[in-house]
Amino acid sequence: MVPPAIFLAVLLVVLPGMLYVWAGLPSTSNLSTARLPLSTRIYDRTGTILLAEIHQGSERRHIVPLSQVAPSMREATIAVEDRTFYQHGGLNLLRTGQAGLDDLIHLRLNQGGSTITQQLVKNIYLSGDRAVLRKLDEAILAVEIEHQYSKSQILEAYLNRIYYGNQSYGVEAAAQTYFGKTAHQLSLSEAALLAGLPQAPTALDPFSNLNGAKARQRVVLDAMVKAGEITTAQAQSAFAQPLTLQKPTSADDVKAPGFVHWVAAQVEKTYGEELLKNGGLTVITSLDWNLQSIAEQQVREKVAALQRQHVTDGALVAVDPKSGAVLAMVGSAGPDVPGGQYNMAIIPRQPGSAFKMFTYTAAIESGKFTMGSWIDDSPVQIRLADGSTYTPRNYDGSFHGWQPIPFALGNSLNVPAVKVEMGTGVDRVVDVARRMGVETLTQPASAYQPSLTLGGYEVPLIDMAAGASTLAAQGTYRHPQAILKIMAHDGTTLYRYAEGKGKAALTPQVSFIMADMLSNDRNRSLEFGRNSDLVIPGHHVAAKTGTTNDFRDNLTVGFTPNLAVAVWVGNADHTPMRNVSGIVGAAPIFHGFMTQVLNGQPDSWYAVPDGLHAVGMNGYTAYLLPGTEQLAQSQQPPPSRCEEGCGGGGDNGGGRHKKHG
């Protein structure tokens, strides 16, 4: 008589092996990646702050090597799911036989009896039905997998695929979802809780049924004691340990959403949607989470304070001039503000007088104007190509007579800016702006009108930050960079940012002159008064405001040698604010952000580059490019016009405080 065990072995092993070729079952040669859509994870620059997960639908899936799973998690899983995992060859004959006998007696297919290998097969290759033929296929493939892969490979694949509830597939996703940590960091108590969830992920959801999850945790701990993995005392201690569950999050929860969506768009453009949503990429970005948090708080609070003046939104971009890395990007004042779904940091808007930063840079570089030149702030009419006349006006409706170039720039006087632009050449201004990072000026230079210098053409805030960064880097342009590294799901590096030397857009001499003019508080005292929000106590900081004529947009752009920042406030729907200019709207955000970021840091500024000549001219020091001394002398105000003093009172730092520009 044939013993029952031998008969069962023939039934479950030999016969399936004979039928394997006939069955036409799928190949088991791709255990690690078969049918496995993986989430892409986007991190801050440290690789520790998870900003977002990008995935198809709402499922979170992550792959980690077995070495990155806490030993207690491995032991708990084996103890409760398949205690003889390391002894069997894919099938636990006794356990399967007992389950099968129970099914026959009760005329149903309810008993488990599946090994970890069988569960893995079902998860990867087969449907979830419990038909007899499907169970046969499962047994055949389980034996095949045990012949092809090591136990470690099988356990790793299982832990990376099993469902733990709350749209979390794999132990890494589960650890992040429930405890906000990696699988490597799980404690015994946490591992025992997670290991128990696959039995009934929805019913045992600890967010909604903590008592049920804890009861299952006790079963897991008892199984670990029985398997000899832990002592009874350790089990009792782990069960008594309070669990700190992370607040449940939805698949749409994203930190720094404007920045993340900007990054995701770049990844998708390079690698395609499929790899972005299903490829399991790890993206290390340039974002500094500390700076981002400060920026978000400043934008949110300062915009809220301006609600009565019909200001609903704001944005901020901070760039590291030495690398081009985008350290912070706030796309809106919050998801609930009107237009909060848009990233105003990358949408072109009119920059107002902040664009004068490019005009005066072009003027100094051209050699047609110097830091020592004076310009007459008096009425002017400019004949345009179509025969019409353009008449620029200052914000305060007044004219201020002869002004030195630093005062005309610092006080954001429109008429002198247009005169400087026309004297320099609009084509030169366009060329310099493009070199410094403005990518939206794509028309032929001849297509731009004199209103260019007053911000009459739309430029995204990120480009304004790039322009400030170019001056901060003493003339070196570096394209704003958001991604430092991209890794495939298997850990191979697909992309790594190579920090280069950048592109020489300006000379250090021209950049220094602009930095000096934009950082001297005396230069803007006529219109903004002394110690406005453009001043950061204890630090040299260059700054320029900008406001459109209709108050639809206003900006503040500025920099130190180590940080370039651009701020915008306004309304996404282009409705005008109520008398909110750059010094009233964007400048407080700029001031608050810079004050916090620079707090505790030593002041740093630029040494005077070789080749510049410091010349005293009418009460202030002008730095002149070589060969421009005679030009500077020729562009002084007529003596008869300065009998009562030129420069609008700027020499003594008095002046009036007019909130515009």
Side-chain angles (χ1 to χ4, degrees), residues 356-570:
K356 292 171 185 172
M357 171 177 66
F358 304 112
T359 300
Y360 283 88
T361 299
I364 298 297
E365 182 189 68
S366 71
K368 294 185 176 182
F369 294 91
T370 73
M371 186 177 172
S373 300
W374 288 59
I375 196 82
D376 187 13
D377 180 15
S378 61
V380 63
Q381 290 185 339
I382 300 171
R383 180 76 62 178
L384 303 179
D386 62 1
S388 61
T389 300
Y390 175 64
T391 305
R393 289 180 171 82
N394 293 320
Y395 268 85
D396 61 6
S398 303
F399 297 98
H400 307 88
W402 287 90
Q403 296 288 328
I405 288 289
F407 292 1
L409 171 62
N411 290 300
S412 201
L413 302 176
N414 290 343
V415 174
V418 172
K419 289 183 176 181
V420 169
E421 176 190 40
M422 300 309 293
T424 302
V426 174
D427 58 335
R428 286 181 179 269
V429 175
V430 171
D431 176 57
V432 165
R434 288 171 176 167
R435 278 189 270 139
M436 292 175 65
V438 177
E439 298 182 346
T440 50
L441 300 180
T442 57
Q443 301 178 55
S446 59
Y448 295 98
Q449 302 293 333
S451 61
L452 174 69
T453 191
L454 306 184
Y457 295 86
E458 294 184 336
V459 176
L461 193 67
I462 185 76
D463 287 9
M464 297 301 295
S469 177
T470 300
L471 291 175
Q474 296 182 291
T476 299
Y477 168 72
R478 295 179 174 89
H479 191 275
Q481 179 68 31
I483 301 173
L484 302 182
K485 186 178 181 182
I486 300 177
M487 292 177 289
H489 71 85
D490 62 359
T492 58
T493 299
L494 302 179
Y495 168 82
R496 186 188 300 274
Y497 176 57
E499 186 176 322
K501 296 181 179 179
K503 184 186 300 182
L506 308 168
T507 66
Q509 290 79 12
V510 170
S511 301
F512 176 84
I513 291 172
M514 288 300 299
D516 187 78
M517 291 195 295
L518 290 170
S519 64
N520 192 330
D521 190 43
R522 186 183 69 168
N523 292 344
R524 47 185 176 246
S525 62
L526 170 65
E527 297 295 342
F528 302 115
R530 282 301 188 95
N531 296 314
S532 69
D533 278 337
L534 301 181
V535 175
I536 311 300
H539 295 274
H540 283 79
V541 177
K544 180 72 189 77
T545 62
T547 307
T548 56
N549 286 329
D550 50 15
F551 295 107
R552 297 181 192 274
D553 301 277
N554 76 59
L555 288 80
T556 295
V557 181
F559 59 90
T560 70
N562 301 309
L563 187 64
V565 178
V567 180
W568 168 87
V569 297

Side-chain angles (χ1 to χ4, degrees), residues 249-375:
T249 61
S250 72
D252 295 327
D253 287 337
V254 174
K255 293 183 174 70
F259 177 79
V260 163
H261 295 153
W262 185 53
V263 167
Q266 295 177 46
V267 175
E268 182 176 356
K269 183 178 180 180
T270 302
Y271 297 100
E273 182 182 16
E274 176 65 23
L275 196 58
L276 171 66
K277 293 186 176 180
N278 297 319
L281 302 177
T282 297
V283 182
I284 307 299
T285 71
S286 58
L287 195 82
D288 184 309
W289 183 242
N290 179 50
L291 268 63
Q292 178 71 18
S293 300
I294 294 171
E296 289 181 358
Q297 179 187 21
Q298 288 297 320
V299 171
R300 183 173 58 252
E301 292 180 356
K302 299 300 192 298
V303 167
L306 292 169
Q307 283 184 345
R308 291 186 178 180
Q309 292 168 272
H310 190 52
V311 177
T312 62
D313 211 353
L316 182 150
V317 177
V319 176
D320 178 359
K322 297 179 180 178
S323 66
V326 177
L327 302 176
M329 175 183 282
V330 180
S332 75
D336 299 326
V337 304
Q341 70 271 30
Y342 302 115
N343 183 358
M344 301 307 297
I346 62 174
I347 294 177
R349 300 285 291 226
Q350 290 190 357
S353 292
F355 195 89
K356 292 171 185 172
M357 171 177 66
F358 304 112
T359 300
Y360 283 88
T361 299
I364 298 297
E365 182 189 68
S366 71
K368 294 185 176 182
F369 294 91
T370 73
M371 186 177 172
S373 300
W374 288 59
I375 196 82

